């Protein structure tokens, strides 16, 4: 008793279920690790923020010193206003820094130690400014000369330096711990991926062959749906799709295109005299000659029977369009060398319509080109006619 192979759809569903199960298992472990390492990541970000706050504290302290010296030297009020603003900002940053390190006793103690140093520095600043206001620059020079402001700034810088060293050590320790956790997470990810791939690889090998077979079949069907089997040219359906695209492009570029309808003269006699097999060979050769006569940017298609259609892009020059029409007539009317003999009685008649002069859509242009084609056949065949409104209406079947 033979066991039938499972259908592709069932195999794909099983693969999807297996993949989703593996992803769910991986996500569960990942979330567990993420929860256990969230505190490490939080502390890591916190240490970076503390170090950044210390750097900004130093910058404000430096700005304070510069504004103070500028006022002592010049006595200008804007520098005094800057000095007051920087002092207020410095006190605010000290308060924020103290709150950020409150959970670390050593760092909290250092931040607390900054408070009297800042008060002493503020008192010295007020003394310097008072001396400057009362006695001018000469009154503050003795204090500046003794370097009292540098002493206070140096003490503040030393406390900040110790805090930064401590926080840098904490940051490195937390970064190392976080890196270890990330390493475990990566190892778990690799193991999960390996397991999932190992479970799927056998299924994928079987599915691949079936998918390739279906893709080949789909490409064949798609090819046959858009290509004429006898001539290898695009068929009517593909022609309408491509011509619509070319027409939309011409509208955007405000350029002209020419639509030609072509019909073989005397083809029915070939079929009647030599059979449809020879007629098909002749159609194939006609398609090859038409394709060889147009530009790469133009489009030629077989509409059915002995009828063809061409779209000529960039047809702003009427002489070029007429030249192409005559070139097509000459190419098709040349003798044919087939296995069953030579045929020199096959010709072609052409009708031409222009966008936008003769129509704004493909269907209208084809109708007008067909009307011009009918006029060519009525007036002697093996010639081309450009559509105009005075052409006679086509006879109804």
């Amino acid at each position: 008793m033979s066991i039938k192979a499972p259908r592709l759809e069932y195999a794909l569903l099983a693969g999807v279920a297996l993949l989703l199960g593996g992803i769910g298992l991986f996500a569960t472990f990942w979330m567990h690790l993420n929860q256990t390492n969230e505190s490490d990541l939080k502390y890591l970000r916190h240490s970076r923020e503390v170090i950044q706050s210390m750097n900004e504290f130093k910058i404000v302290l430096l700005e304070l010193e510069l504004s103070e010296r500028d006022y002592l030297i010049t006595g200008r009020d804007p520098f005094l206003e800057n000095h007051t603003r920087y002092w207020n900002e410095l006190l605010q940053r000290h308060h924020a820094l103290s709150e950020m390190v409150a959970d670390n006793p050593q760092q909290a103690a250092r931040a607390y130690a900054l408070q009297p140093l800042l008060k002493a520095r503020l008192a010295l600043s007020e003394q310097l400014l008072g001396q400057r206001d009362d006695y001018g620059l000469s009154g503050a020079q003795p204090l500046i000369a003794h370097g009292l402001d540098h002493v206070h700034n140096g003490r503040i810088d030393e406390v900040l330096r110790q805090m930064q060293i401590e926080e840098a050590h904490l940051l490195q320790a937390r970064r190392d711990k976080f890196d270890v956790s990330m390493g475990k997470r990566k190892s778990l990810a690799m193991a999960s991926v390996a397991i999932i791939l190992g479970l799927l690889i056998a299924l994928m090998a079987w599915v691949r062959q079936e998918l390739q077979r279906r893709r080949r079949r789909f490409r064949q069907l798609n090819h046959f749906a858009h290509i004429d089997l006898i001539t290898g040219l695009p068929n009517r359906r593909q022609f309408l799709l491509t011509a619509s695209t070319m027409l939309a492009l011409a509208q955007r570029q405000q350029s002209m295109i020419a639509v030609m309808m072509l019909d073989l003269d005397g083809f029915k006699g070939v079929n009647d005299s030599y059979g449809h097999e020879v007629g098909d060979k002749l159609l194939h050769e006609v398609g090859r000659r038409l394709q060889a006569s147009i530009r790469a940017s133009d489009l030629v298609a077989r509409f059915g029977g002995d009828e063809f259609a061409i779209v000529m892009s960039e047809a702003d020059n009427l002489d070029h369009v007429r030249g192409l029409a005559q070139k097509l007539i000459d190419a098709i009317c040349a003798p044919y060398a087939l296995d069953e003999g030579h045929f020199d009685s096959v010709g072609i008649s052409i009708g031409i319509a222009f966008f936008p002069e003769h129509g704004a859509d493909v269907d209208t242009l084809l109708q007008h080109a067909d009307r011009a084609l009918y006029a060519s056949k009525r007036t002697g065949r093996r010639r081309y006619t450009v559509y105009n409104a005075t052409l006679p209406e086509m006879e109804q079947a």
Side-chain angles (χ1 to χ4, degrees):
M1 180 178 178
S2 61
I3 301 177
K4 294 182 179 180
R7 294 179 59 185
L8 176 63
E9 289 76 7
Y10 295 157
L12 290 177
L13 287 176
V16 170
L18 183 61
L19 181 61
L20 292 177
I23 292 175
L25 180 63
F26 169 73
T28 301
F29 283 107
W30 184 274
M31 291 176 63
H32 175 71
L33 278 179
N34 187 59
Q35 291 175 354
T36 57
N37 294 327
E38 183 63 28
S39 59
D40 293 336
L41 185 59
K42 177 181 177 181
Y43 287 133
L44 188 64
R45 290 195 295 261
H46 179 73
S47 293
R48 290 173 178 169
E49 291 172 358
V50 171
I51 293 175
Q52 178 65 23
S53 179
M54 293 177 186
N55 291 331
E56 293 173 352
F57 189 95
K58 285 186 173 183
I59 293 173
V60 176
L61 185 63
L62 178 61
E63 294 288 350
L64 172 68
E65 183 180 357
L66 293 176
S67 63
E68 184 179 74
R69 286 188 172 274
D70 289 339
Y71 178 73
L72 292 176
I73 294 173
T74 65
R76 297 176 60 185
D77 290 340
F79 295 121
L80 181 60
E81 294 174 359
N82 289 339
H83 178 267
T84 303
R85 178 166 57 84
Y86 287 132
W87 258 120
N88 293 332
E89 184 177 352
L90 191 65
L91 295 176
Q92 292 174 0
R93 290 192 176 278
H94 174 258
H95 178 72
L97 181 62
S98 299
E99 290 185 345
M100 293 177 70
V101 298
D103 294 338
N104 188 326
Q106 292 182 342
Q107 293 290 68
R110 293 188 180 98
Y112 182 78
L114 282 174
Q115 187 172 355
L117 295 177
L118 291 173
K119 289 182 179 180
R121 181 65 181 85
L122 177 58
L124 175 62
S125 179
E126 291 176 349
Q127 185 179 1
L128 288 171
L129 297 179
Q131 292 284 356
R132 177 64 172 83
D133 293 339
D134 294 339
Y135 305 104
L137 179 59
S138 60
Q141 280 181 338
L143 293 175
I144 298 175
H146 284 85
L148 296 179
D149 55 342
H150 291 292
V151 172
H152 286 78
N153 289 347
R155 292 174 180 173
I156 295 173
D157 286 339
E158 178 60 24
V159 174
L160 288 173
R161 187 182 68 82
Q162 293 175 1
M163 293 184 70
Q164 284 185 314
I165 292 175
E166 174 67 17
E167 203 63 38
H169 289 162
L170 290 174
L171 177 62
Q172 186 61 45
R174 289 165 178 169
R175 184 182 288 119
D176 293 341
K177 185 177 180 180
F178 184 76
D179 289 342
V180 171
S181 298
M182 286 299 297
K184 293 180 179 179
R185 190 180 302 178
K186 290 179 180 178
S187 299
L188 177 62
M190 294 294 293
S192 301
V193 171
I195 293 173
I196 293 173
L197 289 178
L199 294 175
L200 290 176
I201 190 168
L203 181 63
M204 290 177 61
W206 181 86
V207 169
R208 180 183 178 185
Q209 182 177 5
E210 178 64 16
L211 288 177
Q212 289 178 344
R213 185 189 68 81
R214 293 192 177 193
R215 281 196 295 266
R216 287 194 298 268
R217 179 61 176 168
F218 175 79
R219 285 194 295 265
Q220 290 175 352
L221 293 176
N222 187 63
H223 179 79
F224 294 151
H226 296 87
I227 299 299
D228 177 65
L229 298 181
I230 295 177
T231 62
L233 297 176
N235 59 16
R236 182 188 187 96
R237 178 182 180 184
Q238 182 62 37
F239 176 87
L240 294 176
L241 292 174
T242 306
S244 297
T245 302
M246 296 174 68
L247 191 65
L249 180 61
Q251 287 177 321
R252 287 196 297 268
Q253 296 178 345
Q254 295 185 348
S255 60
M256 292 178 58
I257 62 174
V259 175
M260 300 182 181
M261 289 296 297
L262 305 88
D263 189 81
L264 295 180
D265 300 325
F267 178 72
K268 185 177 182 300
V270 174
N271 271 340
D272 293 342
S273 301
Y274 302 99
H276 288 282
E277 183 177 354
V278 175
D280 290 346
K281 292 182 180 180
L282 179 61
L283 287 174
H284 178 80
E285 177 61 19
V286 168
R288 187 195 67 78
R289 294 186 185 185
L290 291 176
Q291 186 71 63
S293 300
I294 64 173
R295 302 169 302 181
S297 59
D298 299 333
L299 171 68
V300 59
R302 184 191 176 202
F303 261 37
D306 59 351
E307 192 174 37
F308 296 82
I310 290 177
V311 177
M312 182 180 181
S313 61
E314 299 177 2
D316 298 320
N317 191 322
L318 183 59
D319 291 338
H320 288 173
V321 179
R322 293 180 180 275
L324 174 62
Q326 188 58 51
K327 180 180 179 181
L328 295 173
I329 293 173
D330 294 341
I332 301 304
C333 291
Y336 292 85
L338 301 176
D339 295 341
E340 285 74 9
H342 298 271
F343 306 98
D344 55 0
S345 60
V346 177
I348 195 168
S349 298
I350 302 175
I352 306 173
F354 288 94
F355 167 83
E357 181 181 357
H358 300 144
D361 58 83
V362 176
D363 289 338
T364 302
L365 291 171
L366 287 174
Q367 292 174 6
H368 290 168
D370 204 32
R371 187 171 168 183
L373 170 63
Y374 172 72
S376 295
K377 284 187 170 293
R378 288 192 54 169
T379 55
R381 303 176 184 269
R382 299 195 180 192
R383 56 179 298 168
Y384 63 86
T385 302
V386 177
Y387 169 81
N388 64 75
T390 63
L391 292 176
E393 296 289 342
M394 290 180 289
E395 297 176 356
Q396 300 297 320

